[in-house]
Amino acid sequence: MVITRHAEARAVLADTRYVPPPVRQDAPPYTLGWLRARVSRFSSGETHAERRRALEDRLAELDPAALRRRAREATLERGGEWRGVPTRVLAAALGVRAPVPLVEAVAAGYLSGEESPAADAAVAELAGLLGDGPSVITDLTLLLQAHAATEGLIANTLTHREPAGVEGLLRETLRHDPPLRATRRVDRATGEEIVIDLVAANRDPAVFAEPERFDAARDETPHLTFGHGVRPCPASAHALALAAGVLDALRPAPTAPAGSPAPMPASAPKENS
Ligand code: HEM
């Protein structure tokens, strides 16, 4: 079943009867399957609650304002080459060494579950770099959840050229062009798979006026891009801070006074960092 209405999407996301599709539990150590069996994202019930608490505690150590400042500086230092910046800045804030190409190699199959020797090798290498402490899985989860979603948000925001502030642009991009376009659940009672179409829910005319129109002047909207209910994104503030920092460096300030230094142009997104 595909859900496209906002109210139904919220109801499913808030109901513990619906859980993420189960992942295999028998993968060899230090492979993608091994990692997916250990993260909050694909677990449910008390296991999920415990893993999520560890993530929230770790996130509480990170200051979104500092992430934004650092993302802006890092983008400027790299001459506007922003790909990889959010992940680099996040890894530095967590105090871990996690080269972007390795995170990228794992991120490719992290949500889909598509296993490959390259993804398995990258998991093993990252786990080796992060060490054996209790926070390894927590930190890996944060880096993997952050990587593609945050870069997707930045890339989608850069397609809009309106002379609007960074916050308004990000807010409306999240609603209108979400980087994650769908999320899945399984009905624990029946086994039925449910796809929640986030693009459609975010443009539900029952909730959003002129839903197809991109309008960076909208106030805060109840978009579902950061999820809802039992397991919403615990890092929406961090994601917004990382994206805003990159955009601070790339986008002209909308009300820059005449004669102020020229802003850096928005560079075309690169495929690799
Ligand atoms: C624009 C960027 C981002 C978007 C749109 C986004 C969106 C989401 C959504 C929709 C979920 C829930 C998935 C579901 O219910 O099926 C989620 C979960 C999660 N996100 Fe984000 N996210 C973003 C960035 C980040 C960042 C930067 C971090 C970490 C610093 C992060 C950490 C997490 C974690 C750990 C979970 C799993 C939570 C759980 O299992 O309960 N996300 N994210």
Side-chain angles (χ1 to χ4, degrees), residues 23-111:
V23 296
R24 66 184 284 214
Q25 300 291 321
D26 61 349
Y30 304 109
T31 59
L32 183 68
W34 168 86
L35 178 64
R36 278 166 46 91
R38 272 159 187 74
V39 299
S40 158
R41 177 66 180 78
F42 309 111
S43 55
S44 54
E46 192 40 43
T47 307
H48 170 251
E50 251 173 53
R51 291 174 176 176
R52 187 173 167 99
R53 270 194 298 276
L55 290 163
E56 286 168 343
D57 289 349
R58 190 73 165 120
L59 283 165
E61 295 169 19
L62 309 181
D63 171 16
L67 292 177
R68 181 168 180 168
R69 252 191 332 270
R70 194 57 207 119
R72 177 179 173 278
E73 288 163 5
T75 305
L76 291 172
E77 280 160 19
R78 295 167 58 85
E81 296 287 333
W82 63 269
R83 291 276 175 179
V85 164
T87 301
R88 254 182 220 105
V89 169
L90 181 59
L94 292 168
V96 298
R97 220 179 117 227
V100 175
L102 288 182
V103 176
E104 210 156 56
V106 181
Y110 173 75
L111 284 182

Side-chain angles (χ1 to χ4, degrees), residues 64-157:
L67 292 177
R68 181 168 180 168
R69 252 191 332 270
R70 194 57 207 119
R72 177 179 173 278
E73 288 163 5
T75 305
L76 291 172
E77 280 160 19
R78 295 167 58 85
E81 296 287 333
W82 63 269
R83 291 276 175 179
V85 164
T87 301
R88 254 182 220 105
V89 169
L90 181 59
L94 292 168
V96 298
R97 220 179 117 227
V100 175
L102 288 182
V103 176
E104 210 156 56
V106 181
Y110 173 75
L111 284 182
S112 70
E114 197 175 322
E115 299 182 10
S116 67
D120 289 346
V123 170
E125 206 175 331
L126 274 175
L129 284 171
L130 266 63
D132 272 337
S135 64
V136 174
I137 297 289
T138 302
D139 288 352
L140 269 177
T141 305
L142 292 175
L143 290 162
L144 290 166
Q145 291 282 159
H147 179 73
T150 310
E151 292 209 350
L153 173 60
I154 295 166
N156 291 356
T157 305

Side-chain angles (χ1 to χ4, degrees), residues 40-41 48 52 145-146 149 180 183 185 225-226 231 233-235 239:
S40 158
R41 177 66 180 78
H48 170 251
R52 187 173 167 99
Q145 291 282 159
L180 305 171
T183 190
R185 294 289 187 271
T225 302
F226 284 122
R231 48 202 314 134
C233 181

Side-chain angles (χ1 to χ4, degrees), residues 4-26:
T4 57
R5 302 309 300 258
H6 189 271
E8 281 175 51
R10 279 173 59 99
V12 169
L13 290 170
D15 191 335
T16 52
R17 166 176 173 167
Y18 302 102
V19 295
V23 296
R24 66 184 284 214
Q25 300 291 321
D26 61 349

